[in-house]
Amino acid sequence: MSVPVQLLTHEYPPFRGGIGMYVRETARALAKTGTEVTVWAPDYGTGDTGRDSFRVKRVPMRGKQGWPCRLRMAAALRKAFPEGRIPGRVILAEPGPLRMWLHASLLKLPRPEGLIPVLHGTEIGQIGRRPLERRLFRALVGHAEKVGVVSKAVRSRLLEVAPEAEPLAELVPGAVRSAWLDLPAPEPSRESGETFEILQVGRISPRKGQLHLLETIARLPGTRRRQIHLRIIGPAGKAAYAGLVARRAGNLDCRVSLEGSVSDEALREMYRTARLLVMPSQPFRRSVEGLGLALLEAGHFGCPVIASGIGGIPEAMLPGESGYLVPPQDRGALAEAIIRVMDNPEKAARMGAKGAAFVREAFSWEANARVLLGMKAPGLG
């Protein structure tokens, strides 16, 4: 009989974000193995959305990574486990709980039988630059059963900070949301027409590179530029950057739609009809693209991709086969790649089909669950 799992997160639906989706799909996959799963998640005051075969324990917090949310999560755990121990495993599913657990002694957190932090990328770079957090993190690794990483690139970052984690690191990348998996595989072609629809999916922030993409499109020849309908999907981050993006979009002589957050159903249809997805991620402070779930989602629906060669992005596509990888700050290279896709619809269709096969074969929430439970681990190379 499997041991129970407590899965801790500071981001979860109905909040719309990649990590929240990752956590929910991980919980679903763990529950399918027969494991008793409890997700500890923020209470956003809007109620739960949808039903799952596991328990969701809502904590009275808003899902930030700072001390107020850490203290409230810690208090909830102490109340639930007054004897000071947690039967089974605790999975620190994203950066908020990880930062809380660095101070486990100070917060008098109950001790689990097994502890598994999961790293998404940015948090390890931030922890690595702070001497105290670095020491606390290495101590945490010393007590961990294993350490999940969403890509080989994140594993490399982990080993720079904590070389002793090498035998513990296990690959648990994202995958396509389960509700989309039963949809029929895409045909190896996409409708063509005068309008060339490009998607960019992600929070509006410097790391996601929306401004870089808009500046790149401005460099395209006018005939190409005016063919484009650029749809930017995702919530706004910092107001100053979002304002810059909106102003630049308004000055382009092509159609640009800033659509904000959209439903899963609407996003699915956008992936199915778009001619291209661009992920123009940029280096920004110590933030990094750990993998790139939008690349997997677009690939699943046969949409060719262009992405920056940064972080774990190259692992979420087949460079040269399912799309093009370009240097992150090179607008000329990005513009050239966009024109290449626009001018070669047959090759774009083949790329889309290649991407669909790759995503469907290489990424699985069920495989991640087996890794986390110690059943089977894919090679890290």
Side-chain angles (χ1 to χ4, degrees), residues 78 100-111 136 143:
R78 291 195 303 267
M100 177 191 70
W101 218 273
L102 295 179
H103 305 279
S105 297
L106 176 66
L107 295 171
K108 297 181 170 58
L109 293 175
R111 294 178 179 273
L136 292 171
H143 291 96

Side-chain angles (χ1 to χ4, degrees), residues 113-168:
E113 293 176 8
L115 182 65
I116 305 175
V118 176
L119 303 178
H120 295 263
T122 294
E123 71 275 68
I124 191 64
Q126 294 172 340
I127 287 170
R129 71 184 178 90
R130 300 185 179 104
L132 175 59
E133 281 197 346
R134 186 182 184 119
R135 289 197 299 272
L136 292 171
F137 176 75
R138 295 183 70 174
L140 183 151
V141 167
H143 291 96
E145 177 183 336
K146 64 185 69 177
V147 180
V149 292
V150 300
S151 65
K152 296 176 184 177
V154 174
R155 178 180 185 263
S156 295
R157 277 195 154 205
L158 165 64
L159 298 185
E160 290 173 4
V161 174
E164 64 274 19
E166 183 170 11
L168 303 176

Side-chain angles (χ1 to χ4, degrees), residues 211 214 239-252 258:
L211 196 59
L214 290 166
Y241 181 78
L244 285 174
V245 170
R247 287 192 293 275
R248 191 67 185 95
N251 290 331
L252 276 179
L258 299 173

Side-chain angles (χ1 to χ4, degrees), residues 209-221 225 230 232 241 244-245 247-249 251-252 254 256 280 282 329-332 334-335 338:
Q210 290 91 355
L211 196 59
H212 178 77
L213 177 56
L214 290 166
E215 295 289 358
T216 297
I217 290 175
R219 298 170 62 119
L220 298 177
R225 193 169 59 246
L230 173 61
I232 297 177
Y241 181 78
L244 285 174
V245 170
R247 287 192 293 275
R248 191 67 185 95
N251 290 331
L252 276 179
C254 68
V256 180
Q282 300 296 300
Q329 296 176 306
D330 191 336
R331 293 190 182 97
L334 178 55
I338 291 173

Side-chain angles (χ1 to χ4, degrees), residues 39-366:
V39 175
W40 297 72
D43 181 357
Y44 299 105
T46 57
D48 290 338
T49 57
R51 293 186 176 182
D52 284 299
S53 58
F54 52 86
R55 181 187 179 202
V56 178
K57 172 71 174 175
R58 293 288 179 174
V59 179
M61 64 182 195
R62 292 299 180 184
K64 305 297 183 183
Q65 293 187 32
W67 276 103
C69 288
R70 297 180 207 176
L71 291 170
R72 288 170 183 166
M73 176 75 83
L77 290 169
R78 291 195 303 267
K79 182 178 179 180
F81 303 101
E83 295 181 357
R85 58 179 297 275
I86 302 176
R89 294 181 172 97
V90 166
I91 298 178
L92 309 177
E94 54 90 32
L98 172 65
R99 292 185 179 282
M100 177 191 70
W101 218 273
L102 295 179
H103 305 279
S105 297
L106 176 66
L107 295 171
K108 297 181 170 58
L109 293 175
R111 294 178 179 273
E113 293 176 8
L115 182 65
I116 305 175
V118 176
L119 303 178
H120 295 263
T122 294
E123 71 275 68
I124 191 64
Q126 294 172 340
I127 287 170
R129 71 184 178 90
R130 300 185 179 104
L132 175 59
E133 281 197 346
R134 186 182 184 119
R135 289 197 299 272
L136 292 171
F137 176 75
R138 295 183 70 174
L140 183 151
V141 167
H143 291 96
E145 177 183 336
K146 64 185 69 177
V147 180
V149 292
V150 300
S151 65
K152 296 176 184 177
V154 174
R155 178 180 185 263
S156 295
R157 277 195 154 205
L158 165 64
L159 298 185
E160 290 173 4
V161 174
E164 64 274 19
E166 183 170 11
L168 303 176
E170 300 276 13
L171 193 62
V172 284
V176 175
R177 59 197 78 198
S178 55
W180 294 353
L181 294 177
D182 294 333
L183 297 173
E187 298 294 329
S189 64
R190 302 179 82 82
E191 293 183 8
S192 60
E194 291 185 5
T195 299
F196 190 89
E197 188 171 289
I198 298 176
L199 287 185
Q200 192 281 330
V201 179
R203 179 179 295 276
I204 297 180
S205 71
R207 175 163 69 87
K208 295 296 185 180
Q210 290 91 355
L211 196 59
H212 178 77
L213 177 56
L214 290 166
E215 295 289 358
T216 297
I217 290 175
R219 298 170 62 119
L220 298 177
T223 53
R224 291 284 189 273
R225 193 169 59 246
R226 287 185 287 274
Q227 284 181 264
I228 290 172
H229 177 197
L230 173 61
R231 306 180 77 172
I232 297 177
I233 314 301
K238 298 292 185 182
Y241 181 78
L244 285 174
V245 170
R247 287 192 293 275
R248 191 67 185 95
N251 290 331
L252 276 179
D253 59 341
C254 68
R255 187 178 173 192
V256 180
S257 302
L258 299 173
E259 306 201 18
S261 295
V262 300
S263 68
D264 289 356
E265 293 75 17
L267 182 59
R268 177 192 66 202
E269 292 309 308
M270 290 175 189
Y271 282 133
R272 290 171 70 90
T273 60
R275 308 278 293 282
L276 174 66
L277 176 117
V278 179
M279 181 174 275
S281 300
Q282 300 296 300
F284 180 67
R285 298 174 183 169
R286 295 183 182 270
S287 184
V288 68
E289 202 73 63
L291 182 67
L293 288 176
L295 293 171
L296 302 184
E297 293 174 342
H300 176 80
F301 289 113
C303 182
V305 298
I306 299 173
S308 299
I310 193 171
I313 283 176
E315 301 172 50
M317 59 182 290
L318 294 172
E321 297 182 61
S322 65
Y324 297 112
L325 207 60
V326 297
Q329 296 176 306
D330 191 336
R331 293 190 182 97
L334 178 55
E336 181 182 341
I338 291 173
I339 290 174
R340 203 179 308 163
V341 175
M342 294 180 74
D343 285 351
N344 296 278
E346 294 83 6
K347 183 174 183 180
R350 291 195 297 273
M351 283 182 157
K354 189 79 173 180
F358 169 64
V359 171
R360 289 167 185 261
E361 292 170 6
F363 299 91
S364 161
W365 299 113
E366 288 71 22

